[in-house]
Amino acid sequence: MESKTGHNNNIEGFSMSGQLQTSLRRQRGMSFWTLILYVCGFALIILFSAKLAPAYVDAMHVENGLKGLAEKENLRDMSRGEIVRDLQTYFTLNNVRGEPAKSVKVIRGADGVLVSIDYELREPLLHNIDVVMKFNKQLNTAKPELCCEPLVELEQYRKRD
């Protein structure tokens, strides 16, 4: 069959217009429900980020505060009050409030000083769904290069004292 332009549109028994219609039906694009699913997924990611990011930013500041404390030459000679006051000042300057600031523990042992900041945050996510985040940062003056990873349980450290 020849078209008005004189070209043959029938190639081996297939019509070009039939293939074109079939191809266009397959390429309809995203349905309304798929679009809604993507929008809801994106909204959940934004919600999770908005709710959880501040806790992780605070944890980053806690870690940086402990690293700054580890760099002090006279840390072993500082009293518990001085260590806590130094950390509280750092937390105030970096707007860290709540559980991290309240949970500073200083324990003197035979090896040195252990500064522990161990806390748990509960953040409401949706109606009756909460997310619990646990943070445990430690500074042991015997091993300051291993700052911020929990190395010992507090009770074990106290028994060695």
Side-chain angles (χ1 to χ4, degrees), residues 45-155:
I45 289 171
I46 296 296
L47 176 70
F48 279 23
S49 298
K51 294 283 189 167
L52 304 181
Y56 284 97
V57 169
D58 282 353
M60 182 186 69
H61 285 304
V62 166
E63 187 171 324
N64 290 338
L66 285 176
K67 286 179 181 177
L69 197 62
E71 293 172 358
K72 293 198 176 220
E73 297 293 327
N74 62 344
L75 180 61
R76 289 181 188 221
D77 300 328
M78 292 173 71
S79 69
R80 288 182 176 150
E82 290 173 327
I83 293 172
V84 170
R85 194 171 30 253
D86 195 30
L87 279 173
Q88 294 295 346
T89 302
Y90 182 84
F91 292 160
T92 302
L93 290 174
N94 289 293
N95 202 27
V96 177
R97 292 192 171 85
E99 286 302 315
K102 294 178 194 172
S103 60
V104 176
K105 292 186 181 94
V106 180
I107 303 165
R108 293 207 177 271
D111 302 354
V113 178
L114 178 72
V115 181
S116 176
I117 304 174
D118 185 13
Y119 62 99
E120 180 178 290
L121 292 174
R122 180 179 295 266
E123 183 68 38
L125 193 60
L126 295 172
H127 181 61
N128 62 348
I129 300 173
D130 289 355
V131 175
V132 177
M133 297 167 281
K134 296 180 80 155
F135 299 98
N136 187 5
K137 307 288 183 187
Q138 289 182 353
L139 168 63
N140 189 344
T141 56
K143 299 176 187 172
E145 67 278 358
L146 299 176
C147 175
C148 307
E149 294 303 318
L151 301 173
V152 295
E153 291 291 323
L154 294 181
E155 294 305 317

